[in-house]
Amino acid sequence: MKELETFTKDFDRLWAKTQTTMLSNNTLDNIERHLLNNQQSIGSNQYTTLNKKFGIYIFYIKPKQTYNYKSLCEDWRQSNYDRYPKVIKKTFNQYQDIDTEKWYPLYIGKCQNLGKRLLEHITHRDKKSTYSLKLNGRAQFSSDNVTYSFWELPHTVMTDSKEIKQFILTQLEYQLRRKINPWIGKQ
């Protein structure tokens, strides 16, 4: 039990120190800028080259109409679809006067296989058991007005540990979600 207590205290100290360096505003700003400046149409199929790459991805939308929370929920809801993320009222309501000429963050996520995960979000439909956006078949969310972008965990993160990479991505995704406020997804 003493070993566990020591480990916890040491980890707490290390984590407090790491929070100020890894998750600095500068790091988050750089990732956000990269994501915003590297958008690709969901119809581009560029994501197929990203298999087995750890990273963070984001979907953006340029709405076809001016939304309020209720109208977005109506367009997003699909009666024949199962297992997809919901609109987050709290984060959506932070956006005032939705402009149909502007890009907005729709959803943000992380994974260890960017290509596969982006494919699931874009091409899955209906009752597919995977929890994803299922953009295919959503009339208001198509390659005309939805883009994606990704940030790959740098190769300089020299570890073979999937657990450490996932831990890093989890922390970055959490902070970016709080900063970017996507319309759909987790709190």
Side-chain angles (χ1 to χ4, degrees):
M1 202 51 109
K2 185 74 172 160
E3 289 175 7
L4 188 57
E5 290 173 17
T6 302
F7 171 80
T8 303
K9 288 177 185 175
D10 289 346
F11 189 79
D12 276 346
R13 279 191 293 276
L14 180 61
W15 180 242
K17 183 179 176 183
T18 303
Q19 285 282 60
T20 60
T21 56
M22 181 181 93
L23 301 178
S24 71
N25 281 336
N26 188 42
T27 299
L28 295 173
D29 289 345
N30 288 338
I31 294 171
E32 182 181 14
R33 193 174 314 107
H34 174 85
L35 290 167
L36 192 58
N37 292 331
N38 290 286
Q39 294 180 55
Q40 300 175 43
S41 167
I42 61 172
S44 71
N45 293 335
Q46 293 293 333
Y47 51 83
T48 58
T49 64
L50 300 172
N51 287 331
K52 300 187 179 170
K53 306 279 184 174
F54 281 78
I56 293 173
Y57 58 89
I58 187 167
F59 287 87
Y60 294 98
I61 184 169
K62 186 186 285 188
K64 294 180 180 180
Q65 67 185 48
T66 301
Y67 279 120
N68 60 40
Y69 175 73
K70 184 180 178 187
S71 62
L72 176 61
C73 286
E74 288 171 2
D75 274 358
W76 185 246
R77 188 176 316 121
Q78 297 286 327
S79 61
N80 60 332
Y81 277 31
D82 283 340
R83 302 180 61 104
Y84 60 90
K86 306 299 184 233
V87 177
I88 308 166
K89 186 174 187 175
K90 180 180 170 184
T91 56
F92 177 79
N93 284 340
Q94 291 182 19
Y95 295 93
Q96 303 296 318
D97 302 319
I98 303 301
D99 182 348
T100 58
E101 295 301 314
K102 185 176 173 189
W103 290 99
Y104 295 91
L106 183 66
Y107 181 85
I108 188 168
K110 58 149 175 52
C111 64
Q112 64 184 22
N113 190 337
L114 283 166
K116 180 181 177 193
R117 189 65 179 137
L118 289 166
L119 177 73
E120 291 169 352
H121 280 298
I122 295 167
T123 64
H124 281 182
R125 299 179 66 130
D126 307 306
K127 306 284 184 192
K128 195 76 170 169
S129 64
T130 304
Y131 193 82
S132 63
L133 295 176
K134 299 180 176 154
L135 293 169
N136 265 357
R138 292 182 185 271
Q140 297 296 324
F141 305 88
S142 66
S143 59
D144 296 340
N145 70 326
V146 177
T147 62
Y148 73 92
S149 185
F150 63 90
W151 174 83
E152 191 177 333
L153 191 63
H155 298 293
T156 55
V157 177
M158 300 294 223
T159 181
D160 291 331
S161 171
K162 288 181 180 181
E163 294 81 7
I164 291 174
K165 289 178 183 178
Q166 280 291 1
F167 177 78
I168 292 168
L169 289 178
T170 298
Q171 299 310 310
L172 289 170
E173 177 200 28
Y174 173 77
Q175 292 298 326
L176 285 167
R177 182 176 282 117
R178 290 180 58 207
K179 187 175 189 315
I180 295 173
N181 295 309
W183 291 1
I184 293 171
K186 303 172 191 171
Q187 278 286 65

